[in-house]
Amino acid sequence: MEKSIARQISEYSVSLEYKHLPEEVIHEVKRYMYDSIGCAFGGYHTKDVNIIRDIYKNMSGKPESTVIGFGDKLPAVNVTLINSLMVRALDFNDIYWKDDPSHPSDIIPAAWSIGELVNANMQDVITAIVLAYEFEQRLCLFAKPGVRERKWHHATLTQFVSPIVAGKLLGLNIDQMVNAIGISGSHNHTIGCPTAGKLTMMKNTVDPMAVQSGVFAALMAKNGYSGTEKVFEGKEGFMDAFIGWDAKEENLNPTDMQGRDGISSWSWDIDALIGNLGKSYKIMECGMKAFPTEALTHTHLSCLLNAMLKNQLDYTDIKEVKVTCFAQAYDILFDPTKYRPESRETADHSLPYCLAAAMVDKKITTESFSDEKLNDPRIYEVIDKIKGEPSQEFEKMFPEKQPSKVVVTTNDNRSFEEYLEYPKGDPREPMTIEDLENKFNSLVGNKINKDRKKQLKEDIFHCEKMSCRNFMENLKFSL
């Protein structure tokens, strides 16, 4: 190809300006910031966040950027990891799932930390966040099948995007941006095990670590460090290493390979990654979460709750719950370890646990994954009554739809069936501003008072008038 993939991405990224952005795109960025800040306030207390924060507080360093909620001032690279993990910790932030899944808002803290470092205005921060969503979501369409099917984690995609976001705010030129992408993309490929089987704190941490690494790569490039330009299409580059590409001829080379769900032809869609840049904006296609659980649980949870609530059922009434889902969801959510989760990370990726908790409480909240709830005997009275079955018919509908059929059978042999094709929060059924406000207020709780919640919402939705430093200063629990 005439220009490298990284160079074409860099040319677009460097040239994009706030004035180019449609109003609806700017508004959508603010919605995702509002959602992400709520998730961060909700996740600030988690053990994983506080371990990382304590490490960096002990290391100390130059006070460049603000830790959300706590108000600590620490080096921007370190704050990126803390804040990104805080957004991610409850698995309640946004979701985009095509050939690969991703949580683009994991990358927003890269824009905040570097924006604060260089004292950018929030218009520039918004522009950088648009780039985060644009390329993270395009990368979810790039590998055919996705890297997840190839047994790799989607943090592998984030490593290419975070340096773009940080680099935009650092004012990198095209050559420096190419270097930043090449630096980060050379060493952050993440294997799939953090989200397979018995899950640990790394489930929510690998993507924030890729975000942090991209920020450091952008700083390296700013200071003259060089990186591999053909990190995508070159010899032993991403595409060559992940199969389906002839690096010598720079042509597609579809290859039948064994993946997580069987044998398929592995290839790439370059146009999905770099075609028609600027014609539309991917952020408009992203989704939000109505439940603090793995994204593929949502339609199933909605079906079950509909059946329980519409028919006034109690968990003691239930004889069996049969869930039909597409094969990929079945593999992730009905793994045998998911029937007896020992951690929050495994529980929120366990469909049996999530359904059992929903049956008992008629709802799913962040408290559904507390230590107390993980030991609630009522959940284990019903969890083994939940049966899953994969459907090849449903598999063909994914990712355009996320179909679920749930049949609830009661002890007196009544049967109630619910079917849905996509969950609340999907772009086809978006969360309203009222939904978002309720979610935000629930996550924030009593950490700030009612007036502060209202003011913070106003600040976020009118932030284009602010500097990033002033914006971040408002995200502390006490002013």
Side-chain angles (χ1 to χ4, degrees), residues 139-183:
L139 279 161
C140 291
L141 299 162
F142 181 39
K144 304 290 185 184
V147 299
R148 188 181 183 110
E149 171 64 12
R150 305 179 193 207
K151 302 184 181 181
W152 292 82
H153 188 276
H154 60 81
T156 299
L157 311 179
T158 299
Q159 67 175 331
F160 297 108
V161 183
S162 178
I164 299 169
V165 176
K168 180 66 174 176
L169 287 158
L170 287 168
L172 300 191
N173 62 34
I174 293 169
D175 288 336
Q176 290 171 325
M177 189 73 85
V178 169
N179 284 326
I181 295 168
I183 293 165

Side-chain angles (χ1 to χ4, degrees), residues 325-357:
C325 54
F326 57 92
Q328 192 173 158
Y330 180 83
D331 178 67
I332 296 168
L333 302 174
F334 278 103
D335 183 285
T337 62
K338 302 299 195 299
Y339 275 88
R340 292 296 183 272
E342 297 176 2
S343 67
R344 172 174 54 81
E345 291 83 2
T346 302
D348 69 26
H349 272 49
S350 161
L351 186 56
Y353 178 89
C354 292
L355 292 173

Side-chain angles (χ1 to χ4, degrees), residues 420-471:
L420 287 173
E421 293 185 339
Y422 44 82
K424 181 71 172 176
D426 184 277
R428 290 161 290 191
E429 191 178 338
M431 292 181 73
T432 66
I433 192 62
E434 291 78 16
D435 293 331
L436 274 177
E437 187 169 2
N438 290 335
K439 177 180 175 180
F440 182 89
N441 290 340
S442 173
L443 286 165
V444 174
N446 61 5
K447 301 177 190 74
I448 59 177
N449 62 36
K450 184 178 179 181
D451 289 341
R452 280 274 326 274
K453 290 174 186 174
K454 184 177 179 181
Q455 185 59 54
L456 191 49
K457 180 185 173 186
E458 285 294 310
D459 289 343
I460 293 167
F461 282 94
H462 296 89
C463 67
E464 69 275 12
K465 303 172 184 177
M466 303 173 69
S467 72
C468 188
R469 287 179 182 171
N470 288 339
F471 180 82

